[in-house]
Each structure stands twice: as C-alpha cells, then as structure tokens.
Amino acid sequence: MIKRIIDIIISASALLLLLPFLAIVALLIRRKLGSPILFAQVRPGLDGQPFCMVKFRTMTDARDADSNLLSDTERLPPFGQWLRATSLDELPGLWNVLNGDMSLVGPRPLLMQYLAVYSPDHARRHLVKPGLTGWAQINGRNALSWDEKFALDNWYVDNHSLRLDLRILWITAFKVLTREGINAGTDTTMPVFTGSKGNEAGD
C-alpha cells in the first residue's frame, strides 16, 4: 500500500511538473521522427496480465524498396539515440505508473511473445508489478545477458522493500545523468529472447 501511494504521488507530481517539457519533446519528435509521437505496445504486467505500455517514439518508419521496415539500427536516428541515452523516451511511462499498470521500480516489462518460452523461474518476475526502472537496470541494463537479467529481476522479487526501491531510484538518477549502461554493445536493444537452452516452447 505504501509503495502504491508513493507511486501515485511521484508519478502525478512528475507529470504535472514536466508537462511543458513533455510538450516540447513531443513537438520535437513530431518534427524529427513524424507521427505518431507515442509508441504503444502491449506488455505483460502483474501476474502476466497484458497492459498497454507507452513511451516516446524513437524510431522512424524507414522501409526498403519492398516496403519492409529497415533494421532497428537503421531506423534509429541520432535524435532517437539521444532520447534513449537520456531515458527521456521512458517519461510517458509515468502515466502507466499513475494508472496502476506499472510501478516506479520493478522488473522491466518485456514482450508478450516471451511468455511462451519462459521457464517457471523466469515467470517469477511477474509476481510484482513491472517498473520504469529496476534492479537489473542499475546493474548493467542492456549490457547484461538474458540469464543475468532474469537472475537480477528474481533477486528483486525476493528482496523488494521500500528502502531498496528508494536506493534503486537514487542510483537510476545517477545512471541516467552519466548515460551508463544504455546499450548492449552495438545493438540498439537487447537481442530477442528465445528461451534458455532446454527450455524452448514445447519442451
């Protein structure tokens, strides 16, 4: 209950205080990347229940001669890279926190398609609400392997507390300012998770 109250107070206050800044970012995205301004995608939340997560758009819709979308790297312009490096693309997620779909701190919500290849241990990340930031994010983010990320998420599930959440929020602010641990090598995002060895769907 205390965590939910903190989520509401911080997310509501941040949205109100940042509203003019969010409007400026939205206008820049419209000018540089086009419409829509927001990227919305269904993700699994608490107990694996789907919700619509929102972020600021960072990629273009650039396509090849056959109208196929180009790779993520080719569709991520410098402005989009800057949005990700500063984590400004995550700010609309404050609405998800205010709405109760997410918390400020928790395992990051991944893709719905991953549910089919999770082991029971992987699925434990859904015992708590997903978060804007989390234990894995401050301990490597996309530089982690999938096994390392799941281990850190489960550690949070087993040890979460108000004190730990405040610590994670404090370290997150530092990580954002220093742009530490944004990407995994030369990839713009984590590689697709296809299941741990011996745990693919159907096994």
Side-chain angles (χ1 to χ4, degrees):
M1 180 61 70
I2 295 178
K3 178 169 182 169
R4 179 61 185 146
I5 291 173
I6 292 176
D7 281 345
I8 292 173
I9 292 174
I10 293 181
S11 60
S13 300
L15 284 169
L16 286 174
L17 291 173
L18 294 173
L19 188 58
F21 178 71
L22 293 174
I24 292 173
V25 173
L27 289 173
L28 289 173
I29 292 173
R30 176 66 179 83
R31 178 180 177 183
K32 294 178 178 293
L33 302 178
S35 295
I37 293 170
L38 294 176
F39 169 78
Q41 189 175 56
V42 176
R43 299 286 180 96
L46 181 65
D47 297 325
Q49 294 301 306
F51 73 97
C52 186
M53 185 188 76
V54 291
K55 300 173 64 173
F56 275 134
R57 179 182 185 174
T58 58
M59 292 185 180
T60 68
D61 288 327
R63 298 173 182 268
D64 61 22
D66 296 319
S67 296
N68 297 312
L69 282 174
L70 299 178
S71 68
D72 287 356
T73 300
E74 293 173 296
R75 294 189 295 118
L76 186 65
F79 179 67
Q81 293 176 19
W82 177 76
L83 287 174
R84 291 191 179 193
T86 56
S87 294
L88 293 177
D89 63 318
E90 301 285 354
L91 289 180
L94 289 167
W95 171 254
N96 288 125
V97 176
L98 183 61
N99 196 44
D101 298 317
M102 295 177 63
S103 179
L104 292 171
V105 180
R108 285 292 296 167
L110 302 177
L111 300 177
M112 292 296 295
Q113 67 198 56
Y114 293 173
L115 293 177
V117 293
Y118 280 164
S119 69
D121 194 50
H122 295 151
R124 291 180 58 235
R125 68 196 322 276
H126 297 302
L127 294 176
V128 297
K129 284 184 181 180
L132 286 183
T133 185
W135 189 239
Q137 279 59 54
I138 67 169
N139 283 287
R141 198 170 173 175
N142 287 353
L144 298 169
S145 69
W146 279 113
D147 285 343
E148 291 170 329
K149 185 184 290 286
F150 285 126
L152 289 168
D153 284 341
N154 282 342
W155 185 91
Y156 175 80
V157 170
D158 294 333
N159 296 277
H160 65 94
S161 66
L162 178 58
R163 181 177 181 181
L164 178 61
D165 283 359
L166 293 175
R167 178 186 175 192
I168 291 173
L169 288 172
W170 176 260
I171 296 176
T172 296
F174 173 79
K175 296 280 186 179
V176 169
L177 290 174
T178 59
R179 302 186 186 182
E180 181 180 337
I182 299 298
N183 292 325
T186 59
D187 295 332
T188 56
T189 58
M190 285 286 291
V192 173
F193 179 68
T194 57
S196 297
K197 185 176 180 180
N199 184 55
E200 282 74 14
D203 285 357

